[in-house]
Amino acid sequence: MMQSPTQNQPVTFSSPHPGAGGIVSIMPNSTNSAQMFPQNGIYTNVVRSTEQTFGEVNQLGGIFVNGRPLPNTIRLRIVELAQLGIRPCDISRQLRVSHGCVSKILARYNETGSILPGAIGGSKPRVTTPSVVNAIKDYKIRDPGIFAWEIRDRLLSDCICDKYNVPSVSSISRILRNKIGNVLHPHNPLNPNYVPATQECMKEMSSGSGAHPHPYCTSPAAMYTPYMMQPAGSKQPPMPTVPTAPGCFRAPAIPYPLYSHSMSEILGIPRFDQQIPVTICGATIPGTNNHYPPHGTMVIPNENMPSAMSTKMEDWSRVPAYGVTPPAQVTSVNVNGSSLSEIDKNSNVTHENIPPNTHSVPPQTHSTNYASISENNYLTTSPVSVPPPVSGYQNSHPYMSHQYGASQGINGWHSVHSGHGPQRAISPHNMMSQMTQGPTGTIIQISDHNKQLTIKVRMALALWLPSMFIPSNSNSISRRHPVRLKFDNNAPNKKPSNHSHTTGSAIGTATA
DNA sequence: CCCGTAACGGTTGAC
DNA sequence: GAGTCAACCGTTACG
């Protein structure tokens, strides 16, 4: 009964597989159709082909990826159901998520207010941040005889560090030995007993010898190396240059450790976790600090956001809907009635390319299918009449990743904004993040017209997520989304098998 | 039966 | 680039 409208069309994937040349186009046929298109939202014959790689079935019949977080949609649904008074055991059964996981997610939510999973991987954050090092340097300059343990005490008493991130005495000693020592050099201007460098010193520096056998080398280059100059061949990127913007409209220089060699930073786009407060004539612009705390709540005020949830929403744009980045993208999707592939042959949607989002879109009823959980907990779909979109946006599936506008751009996973209507540019990179929320969901909108942020529609998730979670109230979907993904209602209404679907689906097909 | 939690095997990313 | 390590994940079993 349910059949994708794209089922008669080739499905184009943007495959990360190098041998695929980046793009894979697959025409559905009798052998791969079950994997490419959901049957009642379920991908049949998928676990068998992909369970070696990812996708397992728990005791409740739910699909999970070992080691990876549940989709945000399910995490949100768990919290929503709990707030409706549904018992955790019932939530567990309904969503086919283990009760331990439900318990953990709810406990985390109650404790932190966040439904997002924690930061996976990586190392502990460094305690010897530039500010701490500078403070230590300052202490040492003011009192050259100060002991490391005294510095440690002062870091605490001056509230530069707390008991959790204060460096150890040995760390302070190492900093003093490796980084602070040259500050006390008599030729260093930071030294209270500063002695101007001699001509010989300057000559030595300009000679390009570059060899600094010890931190008290007379070369000024050595003196300033850790903080002022990057030695030749240093892996540290150079200190960012001061922007050329007018002084009253200028982001402060970012300490160089925040910079990396990522594509987005090469292009000058800050990471979402970068803390870049922007000031205009001395006043900090609210919302321009895109800092993303590990479990923090990034609250973007919006008048449409119910107060009960407004303080609980995070920056969804940064998190893939299933934790793992889908290895394939289906880009032949309908965008506001037009095939995406028609809009952009390269599978990228730019803001400029998206059809205008006119607020004069007449009220219309979509025949878009939205899946729902039936009483017997089988996943079914049914046509749902969707109210006219607010402000002309067309929504995607209510519980697929695009509900939150999550898509992956050059800066990781971004939310999607069609780029119509007034764009409020922000500094430093004209990125705007706006979060709105419907009755059960949230949309983040980010636009970046300076960088012409491209959007790759993750159809693989779009196809899969409806089978992972389905709202009980299809009318409660949020309706603002620039990309409309239509699910035809011609697919056969087939009773799903517990072991017949996983996240693989089109992904495995595309990467095969 | 429900719920909290430790153990387990797995993934991830910084170092 | 591979290895190590410590964080996280969801499932499972136990009390």
Side-chain angles (χ1 to χ4, degrees):
Chain A
M1 188 168 71
M2 179 177 176
Q3 185 179 19
S4 167
T6 63
Q7 199 155 349
N8 296 325
Q9 305 168 4
V11 177
T12 303
F13 304 88
S14 177
S15 171
H17 196 284
I23 299 294
V24 175
S25 184
I26 298 171
M27 179 66 77
N29 54 38
S30 58
T31 57
N32 63 17
S33 177
Q35 295 181 0
M36 295 176 66
F37 301 100
Q39 309 294 320
N40 286 334
I42 304 297
Y43 292 93
T44 57
N45 305 323
V46 169
V47 168
R48 182 185 57 199
S49 61
T50 60
E51 63 187 353
Q52 295 92 345
T53 52
F54 51 87
E56 301 174 37
V57 181
N58 62 21
Q59 292 177 340
L60 301 173
I63 302 297
F64 71 100
V65 179
N66 200 5
R68 304 298 298 137
L70 282 176
N72 292 321
T73 51
I74 294 182
R75 305 177 78 93
L76 177 62
R77 191 60 176 162
I78 289 172
V79 172
E80 286 179 344
L81 293 177
Q83 289 182 336
L84 292 176
I86 300 177
R87 296 182 306 174
C89 59
D90 294 329
I91 297 174
S92 171
R93 282 192 285 263
Q94 185 175 4
L95 300 182
R96 302 184 188 184
V97 174
S98 68
H99 86 273
C101 180
V102 171
S103 176
K104 187 184 292 185
I105 289 175
L106 291 177
R108 178 197 291 272
Y109 175 76
N110 291 329
E111 181 180 353
T112 68
S114 171
I115 67 169
L116 290 181
I120 300 176
S123 301
K124 280 180 158 182
R126 289 179 54 194
V127 296
T128 56
T129 60
S131 60
V132 172
V133 173
N134 286 335
I136 295 173
K137 179 171 61 179
D138 186 51
Y139 297 150
K140 190 67 176 177
I141 291 172
R142 294 182 182 184
D143 182 6
I146 193 172
F147 291 110
W149 62 267
E150 293 177 304
I151 292 176
R152 191 172 189 271
D153 288 346
R154 287 201 59 180
L155 288 172
L156 290 170
S157 62
D158 292 349
C159 298
I160 296 173
C161 302
D162 56 35
K163 61 181 179 180
Y164 300 105
N165 64 359
V166 64
S168 64
V169 172
S170 59
S171 296
I172 294 174
S173 298
R174 185 174 59 250
I175 292 171
L176 292 173
R177 182 174 61 251
N178 297 337
K179 296 184 177 181
I180 310 298
N182 51 19
V183 172
L184 299 179
H185 190 277
H187 290 331
N188 191 319
L190 295 177
N191 190 334
N193 302 319
Y194 167 66
V195 175
T198 64
Q199 289 283 1
E200 288 74 17
C201 287
M202 302 307 293
K203 187 177 179 180
E204 179 184 348
M205 183 180 72
S206 59
S207 68
S209 63
H212 317 305
H214 54 81
Y216 290 93
C217 171
T218 55
S219 166
M223 286 191 291
Y224 308 144
T225 290
Y227 304 106
M228 303 175 188
M229 298 177 64
Q230 294 299 318
S234 170
K235 290 184 178 179
Q236 289 283 11
M239 190 74 167
T241 57
V242 177
T244 55
C248 66
F249 197 107
R250 179 176 298 169
I254 305 168
Y256 64 85
L258 284 177
Y259 275 69
S260 71
H261 298 300
S262 69
M263 179 61 70
S264 59
E265 285 149 355
I266 291 173
L267 294 174
I269 301 175
R271 300 190 309 263
F272 276 100
D273 56 354
Q274 274 185 357
Q275 206 161 15
I276 308 175
V278 178
T279 59
I280 296 180
C281 298
T284 300
I285 303 173
T288 59
N289 185 339
N290 286 321
H291 179 54
Y292 187 81
H295 291 150
T297 57
M298 182 176 176
V299 178
I300 305 173
N302 186 285
E303 64 276 10
N304 297 328
M305 184 181 294
S307 58
M309 289 292 288
S310 62
T311 60
K312 303 295 186 181
M313 305 310 298
E314 296 91 347
D315 179 7
W316 289 80
S317 64
R318 196 164 166 265
V319 181
Y322 200 79
V324 291
T325 300
Q329 308 149 11
V330 181
T331 53
S332 294
V333 299
N334 285 331
V335 177
N336 290 350
S338 301
S339 169
L340 200 68
S341 56
E342 296 170 5
I343 297 173
D344 189 331
K345 301 294 184 184
N346 292 325
S347 307
N348 292 331
V349 180
T350 67
H351 299 301
E352 288 74 15
N353 287 336
I354 298 177
N357 170 30
T358 60
H359 290 251
S360 60
V361 172
Q364 53 186 295
T365 300
H366 305 305
S367 59
T368 306
N369 265 357
Y370 294 99
S372 62
I373 290 181
S374 60
E375 289 185 0
N376 62 358
N377 278 346
Y378 283 117
L379 302 172
T380 62
T381 59
S382 59
V384 174
S385 295
V386 181
V390 178
S391 69
Y393 282 89
Q394 311 283 336
N395 69 290
S396 58
H397 192 280
Y399 278 89
M400 69 184 198
S401 63
H402 294 86
Q403 176 186 5
Y404 304 99
S407 67
Q408 192 163 35
I410 55 179
N411 202 18
W413 279 78
H414 290 281
S415 58
V416 178
H417 185 276
S418 64
H420 305 294
Q423 294 294 337
R424 287 172 291 167
I426 66 167
S427 295
H429 295 290
N430 234 19
M431 296 197 68
M432 181 184 73
S433 177
Q434 182 184 4
M435 178 182 292
T436 62
Q437 186 186 11
T440 62
T442 298
I443 297 172
I444 299 175
Q445 301 164 1
I446 288 179
S447 64
D448 182 0
H449 280 230
N450 278 356
K451 300 299 180 184
Q452 195 178 357
L453 180 66
T454 60
I455 302 165
K456 293 183 179 180
V457 179
R458 298 284 173 164
M459 188 61 176
L461 275 175
L463 290 173
W464 167 67
L465 274 175
S467 69
M468 281 299 295
F469 179 73
I470 296 106
S472 56
N473 180 5
S474 298
N475 288 325
S476 64
I477 61 172
S478 55
R479 298 184 298 273
R480 296 184 59 187
H481 198 276
V483 179
R484 180 182 61 186
L485 302 168
K486 296 181 68 176
F487 290 83
D488 204 301
N489 52 3
N490 294 326
N493 191 5
K494 191 175 168 183
K495 188 173 179 180
S497 165
N498 280 348
H499 297 268
S500 62
H501 61 289
T502 184
T503 62
S505 62
I507 297 172
T509 305
T511 55

